[in-house]
Amino acid sequence: LRPALPQRSLFHLQKIEDGHLNNSLGSPVQADVYFPRLIVPFCGHIKGGMRPGKKILVMGIVDLNPESFGISLTCGESEDPPADVAIELKAVFTERQFVRNSCVAGEWGEEQSSIPYFPFIPDQPFRVEILCEHPRFRIFVDGHQLFDFYHRIETLSAIDTIKINGDLQLTKLG
């Protein structure tokens, strides 16, 4: 008899719910080749919330005939009452704008829309980085700084959820 080999590389996975991977009784899947599907609309938890120096990376591919897509960082997932939105980024293709805003205690602030150029192209990949600094978020697209958005939510650690929706496919989050 040979000793049983350890099953370290095999484990049981179940459908992702609430952004968490859970063990279950299912068919074994190779751990190193399993990637959770990044389905749009997407809602995920930011471990530990935001803080100065923390970066959120969103990589994807714009749909072929896009109208818009959005990326929001919120304080929880609540819909009723709605969670505070620290920053909502919305790419609007018809107007070639990348607008941003926030919603605190149910009140939307002043929308900002000035950008040096519109960085998104239909059917092409993109990389958005949201860097949290002490007074602001710095937004980079494909490695170029596009704009800053000054914090309207004071408790950065309360910003613990990312929501993504619209006309795009997600390829990576980090």
Side-chain angles (χ1 to χ4, degrees):
L1 285 173
R2 291 187 323 183
L5 294 173
Q7 297 256 336
R8 283 186 310 214
S9 66
L10 296 177
F11 61 99
H12 300 283
L13 299 172
Q14 95 178 28
K15 195 175 122 200
I16 296 169
E17 293 178 18
D18 303 324
H20 299 289
L21 218 50
N22 298 313
N23 289 330
S24 76
L25 300 172
S27 48
V29 177
Q30 282 283 345
D32 57 351
V33 296
Y34 178 80
F35 294 98
R37 293 197 53 208
L38 298 171
I39 307 238
V40 177
F42 177 88
C43 182
H45 183 71
I46 301 167
K47 189 175 179 183
M50 294 302 289
R51 64 181 180 280
K54 192 163 193 168
K55 186 190 305 184
I56 301 290
L57 169 68
V58 177
M59 293 176 69
I61 301 170
V62 177
D63 285 353
L64 186 57
N65 294 304
E67 289 181 24
S68 66
F69 68 81
I71 302 168
S72 300
L73 300 183
T74 65
C75 301
E77 299 178 36
S78 175
E79 299 290 334
D80 189 21
D84 284 347
V85 178
I87 184 169
E88 179 181 79
L89 305 170
K90 188 169 185 182
V92 183
F93 286 81
T94 52
E95 300 166 20
R96 297 182 57 79
Q97 290 200 317
F98 196 26
V99 296
R100 52 264 181 213
N101 204 345
S102 66
C103 183
V104 182
E107 297 288 324
W108 284 95
E110 185 178 335
E111 188 174 89
Q112 299 174 9
S113 61
S114 65
I115 47 173
Y117 62 96
F118 186 72
F120 303 104
I121 301 167
D123 203 32
Q124 292 296 310
F126 66 86
R127 174 188 181 108
V128 172
E129 294 170 273
I130 304 169
L131 175 62
C132 183
E133 294 184 344
H134 183 66
R136 67 190 163 221
F137 290 112
R138 289 214 126 140
I139 311 303
F140 297 82
V141 178
D142 298 328
H144 300 282
Q145 184 185 341
L146 204 56
F147 53 79
D148 291 344
F149 185 84
Y150 285 83
H151 296 305
R152 298 175 185 173
I153 302 264
E154 292 179 20
T155 309
L156 297 180
S157 61
I159 306 166
D160 64 358
T161 304
I162 180 167
K163 297 180 179 182
I164 303 170
N165 60 36
D167 303 320
L168 77 161
Q169 300 163 42
L170 287 176
T171 56
K172 182 177 181 182
L173 283 177

